[in-house]
Amino acid sequence: MNDQMSALWYLLLLILPLSALIARGIPLGQTMRMALIWVGIFAAGLILATLWTRNRSFVDGFLVDAGLSSNVVTGSTVELARGEGGHFWTDVVLNGVSRRMLVDTGATSTTISRTTAKAVGATVDEGFGVLVDTANGQAMAHRATLGSLQLGSIRAKDLPVLVSDTDGTDLLGIDFLSQLKSWRAEGNRLILVPRGN
């Protein structure tokens, strides 16, 4: 259903400028040339949007380094002990609400469940969803922004997250870790070092 709505939306965006050109009585050859230019513009926009979405952690890291993002991660070094199953779990405070999250270095995006999003009062963008690959296959998610996130002494504000349509595990992904000065695993510990530390 979402794919059909997306296709309909793109078709509508193409038909509107075409109908405006035809209504002006412009010759067919010139109309077709302009139509091809519009198709090229929309294709380029779609490619850029796809590249942005698939490389979000790198883009966000660049924006932070360039001082173009309001998303700021501050604090002092935090060490997490490896838990059961060899994973790093931590208690995180999202918008003032405590949640248990998995630090997942294999996840591109920080992802929270619908239940968590509701509990922390995150406003979810219900527009076009994002198709994400998970351990259980592909799933649909939507974008949201957390006003604040605190992990020990590390604090982040205006953190973009994905909200999963399924109630799974809340994950801290590479997009969060890439905004730190550094992070590394040493033995059974994960060491997170924020910028300015």
Side-chain angles (χ1 to χ4, degrees), residues 18 64 70 75 87 89 99 104 124 141 144 148 153 169 172 192-193:
L18 257 174
V64 169
S70 62
H87 300 294
W89 290 90
R99 280 291 189 261
D104 188 348
V124 180
S148 66
S153 64
T169 303
L172 276 174
L192 309 177
V193 182

Side-chain angles (χ1 to χ4, degrees), residues 56-136:
R56 188 67 186 258
S57 61
F58 299 110
V59 172
D60 287 343
F62 169 78
L63 293 176
V64 169
D65 288 340
L68 301 174
S69 174
S70 62
N71 183 9
V72 179
V73 178
T74 60
S76 55
T77 300
V78 171
E79 292 188 19
L80 303 176
R82 190 183 303 269
E84 292 180 19
H87 300 294
F88 294 101
W89 290 90
T90 185
D91 292 317
V92 178
V93 179
L94 310 174
N95 292 350
V97 178
S98 182
R99 280 291 189 261
R100 187 96 172 134
M101 296 186 79
L102 172 66
V103 181
D104 188 348
T105 59
T108 304
S109 302
T110 296
T111 306
I112 60 176
S113 67
R114 283 272 174 185
T115 302
T116 297
K118 185 175 180 181
V120 304
T123 302
V124 180
D125 178 0
E126 299 293 354
F128 292 108
V130 178
L131 196 61
V132 293
D133 292 317
T134 71
N136 297 323

Side-chain angles (χ1 to χ4, degrees), residues 40-60:
I41 289 170
F42 284 117
L46 188 59
I47 289 168
L48 287 174
T50 302
L51 288 173
W52 176 283
T53 301
R54 292 184 184 258
N55 299 289
R56 188 67 186 258
S57 61
F58 299 110
V59 172
D60 287 343

